[in-house]
Amino acid sequence: MAEEYRGADAETRPLGVIADAPPVVPPTHGPASPALAGRHRRTPSAAAGTGSGAGLLRAGLVMAAGTVLSRVTGMLRTVLIVAALGTAGAADAYNVANTIPNMLFTLLAGGALNAVFVPRMIRAMRDEREGEAYANRLLTLTVLVLGVVTVLAWLAAPQLIRLTGGHLDGADAGRGYASAVTFARYCLPQIFFYGVFTVVGQILNARGRFGSMMWTPVLNNVVVIATFALFISCTHDAGPHGLSAAQTRLLGIGTTLGIVVQAACLFPYLRASGLRIRPRFDWRGSGLRQDARLARWTLLFALVNQVGYTVVVNLTVAAGAAAERAGAAGGAGYTPYGNAQTLWILPQSVITVSLMTALFPRMCRAVAEHRPQDLREQLSRSLRLSGVAIVPAAFALLCFGPQLTELMFRHGETGSADVSVMARVLAGFSLGLIPFSAQYVLLRGFYAMEDTRTPFLAAVWIAAVNAGLSGAAYLLLPARWAVVGMALAYTLAYTVGLAVTALRLRRRLSGATGRITARTYGRLIAAGAVAGGAGLAVTRPLAAVGEGAGLAALQLALGGAVMVAAFVGLGRLLRIHEVTAAVGTLRTRFGG
């Protein structure tokens, strides 16, 4: 579980993600008419909204760079956590406890803030006085509500651990219930700082300061990396009887300190933006009550996500405990499931999210200007452009999962059996990247049309299928294979969700672009499958030589080169225009 909540349009801990919250887009125009314009004093956000394309491009590049660096440091953080704690026992206790704050924040406030309150604040920011007042009211309300929630959650830590990881008792003391409760006591204050980070970061976005919210999570990762590096250097491992009180305290405080730093580092940027921070309790008549009513679909959306999440966490923890009791080699529970998913989601985070950050404002303008054909074309273009990278990435994860997990995770407490389990789980997830990415893109069409009900209905299908099939995997498969079956359940759930979403979107936006996109994806999948097979065939003789990070890196380099060359060649042979265009763009950019 590599990274923490970042607000709008960012991936949360992958295990808890059924679908994502509505994206928040900076304003792209000023007041609606010249008459209204005369009544408003323009704020930095309004100025940013009417800036040049070059200014928006620079802002986009800053955000993209921050996202990439955040993912890189997040992956390094995950590698160190696995090296320090392994994939079972103490690792499960730590990961379950450290996931609860994210789950509670997303359920109680995260989705509503992004879907309703933040867009309202962006509109309010067109007038300097009104925008400052609304921002201070929202920040005051968030601090008070989440402060109370944090205290109550801290007091209820034992019950929360029972709810999300009830099977932790089935193993040794380092993995047990008491260890997870202790970790939860240290981690639950993160709820409060998630809220502060989200509100302050979105205030900055609304005022045209886009980069800070993308870059400060890097500091969070750096703090956690330093914490686990210190743990490894001082203690080496969790010991035969699990983590000591001092070790638990170090990891718990260090993890929460990362979230504190992430939130605190936004305040200098907030002061520099010119907004005066002061408590405001004049909520009556401010519109906050009406905004809360508008958030009902988003709150239901979050509730469905977290119910599905809780079911899967319990099943993965139970599968891990059962595998350990059966004497299976390697951790086969919650931690390997989450680590494989963290690696799996990287292409989506870097490619699809960055692409949609650039294209979503155009979709919103197409809807606002009543141009449904343009919205259809933008959706089709987004799917085809992202598919050029996502489809081969999915087949690469399927074909080279053992080498990737060997290179990334076989360090410290993690042995070959642990890596083998993660590789199998990654294979279960791999092809699910295609429907997951496509679902992400299609939901943007509904969000552009200000429809949050349809994403909720899609989330219900995904959560139900995922929970049902995961339960079947737990009951029917051998304990050491149960988490692999749950990864396949996740893939199938998103395939069903994509079908439901695409059908509903087709009813709203009829046209020929769907057939064009389907043909393109058929060719991309065919090219990806053949290219992946070619890369696998080239590296198979090396796999028989032995194992180790050096050999895994060699296999990845050789197999990856063959796969890329084969995919590009097949793309041309099958006349996939997007592949040819992408190669041409890269040649132009890098002087090829």
Side-chain angles (χ1 to χ4, degrees), residues 377-451:
E377 291 176 356
Q378 290 292 344
L379 285 169
S380 177
R381 181 188 180 201
S382 301
L383 285 169
R384 288 181 280 117
L385 288 176
S386 60
V388 169
I390 290 296
V391 171
F395 281 99
L397 292 172
L398 176 63
C399 296
F400 304 118
Q403 291 82 7
L404 283 167
T405 52
E406 174 81 21
L407 193 61
M408 299 297 298
F409 295 123
R410 192 172 177 185
H411 309 284
E413 291 292 290
T414 307
S416 59
D418 301 300
V419 169
S420 179
V421 173
M422 284 188 279
R424 292 195 295 268
V425 176
L426 183 59
F429 280 123
S430 58
L431 296 184
L433 188 63
I434 300 171
F436 184 90
S437 176
Q439 169 82 352
Y440 182 95
V441 172
L442 291 185
L443 287 183
R444 266 64 202 156
F446 290 105
Y447 293 144
M449 294 183 283
E450 299 184 351
D451 177 359

Side-chain angles (χ1 to χ4, degrees), residues 113-135:
L113 282 172
N114 288 322
V116 178
F117 293 104
V118 171
R120 168 68 186 274
M121 180 174 63
I122 289 174
R123 292 192 294 272
M125 283 290 178
R126 294 174 180 171
D127 178 87
E128 184 178 355
R129 191 170 301 168
E130 180 187 351
E132 183 174 291
Y134 190 91

Side-chain angles (χ1 to χ4, degrees), residues 524-537:
L524 286 171
I525 290 171
V530 174
L536 191 61

Side-chain angles (χ1 to χ4, degrees), residues 28-361:
T28 55
H29 48 76
S33 69
L36 285 174
R39 301 178 194 172
H40 290 263
R41 289 187 295 165
R42 300 289 293 280
T43 67
S45 65
T50 56
S52 66
L56 291 175
L57 177 60
R58 284 194 297 271
L61 289 174
V62 168
M63 288 190 288
T67 299
V68 171
L69 185 57
S70 176
R71 296 296 173 180
V72 170
T73 54
M75 198 67 238
L76 178 58
R77 159 190 174 145
T78 301
V79 169
L80 280 176
I81 292 174
V82 173
L85 301 179
T87 62
D92 275 359
Y94 170 83
N95 283 320
V96 168
N98 192 34
T99 303
I100 292 175
N102 181 272
M103 177 190 72
L104 289 177
F105 172 72
T106 303
L107 175 62
L108 298 173
L113 282 172
N114 288 322
V116 178
F117 293 104
V118 171
R120 168 68 186 274
M121 180 174 63
I122 289 174
R123 292 192 294 272
M125 283 290 178
R126 294 174 180 171
D127 178 87
E128 184 178 355
R129 191 170 301 168
E130 180 187 351
E132 183 174 291
Y134 190 91
N136 278 310
R137 290 188 192 106
L138 182 58
L139 183 58
T140 303
L141 184 62
T142 301
V143 167
L144 290 177
V145 170
L146 290 184
V148 172
V149 169
T150 300
V151 172
L152 294 177
W154 191 88
L155 294 173
Q159 290 74 27
L160 291 171
I161 292 297
R162 286 290 186 197
L163 178 65
T164 56
H167 294 273
L168 285 169
D169 263 340
D172 57 68
R175 183 179 177 174
Y177 167 80
S179 179
V181 170
T182 304
F183 270 125
R185 300 281 195 199
Y186 288 115
C187 293
L188 282 166
Q190 294 172 19
I191 298 170
F192 176 81
F193 295 102
Y194 281 143
V196 173
F197 168 76
T198 301
V199 174
V200 174
Q202 296 294 4
I203 291 172
L204 288 168
N205 284 348
R207 296 177 71 82
R209 306 295 181 95
F210 302 112
S212 52
M213 194 177 186
M214 297 297 176
W215 282 90
T216 49
V218 175
L219 299 178
N220 168 28
N221 287 332
V222 168
V223 170
V224 178
I225 287 169
T227 298
F228 275 88
L230 179 62
F231 174 89
I232 292 171
S233 65
C234 293
T235 63
H236 302 293
D237 57 52
H241 303 293
L243 295 171
S244 68
Q247 290 172 327
T248 303
R249 185 164 53 248
L250 169 64
L251 299 183
I253 292 176
T255 301
T256 297
L257 181 62
I259 305 298
V260 175
V261 170
Q262 175 177 288
C265 286
L266 290 179
F267 281 91
Y269 295 99
L270 188 62
R271 284 194 295 270
S273 73
L275 187 138
R276 293 174 297 173
I277 308 170
R278 57 180 180 178
R280 292 199 62 151
F281 301 94
D282 53 337
W283 302 319
R284 186 180 297 275
S286 65
L288 286 173
R289 184 186 297 272
Q290 180 183 1
D291 293 342
R293 287 197 295 269
L294 293 174
R296 63 185 183 277
W297 285 114
T298 304
L299 292 173
L300 288 172
F301 184 97
L303 178 61
V304 168
N305 283 352
Q306 299 313 318
V307 169
Y309 159 80
T310 302
V311 170
V312 174
V313 169
N314 273 281
L315 289 172
T316 55
V317 170
E324 186 171 343
R325 288 193 299 270
Y334 175 84
T335 297
Y337 182 99
N339 289 339
Q341 201 172 41
T342 298
L343 184 57
W344 167 80
I345 207 169
L346 278 175
Q348 158 77 8
S349 305
V350 174
I351 297 164
T352 310
V353 172
S354 298
L355 179 66
M356 294 312 300
T357 299
L359 292 181
F360 184 71

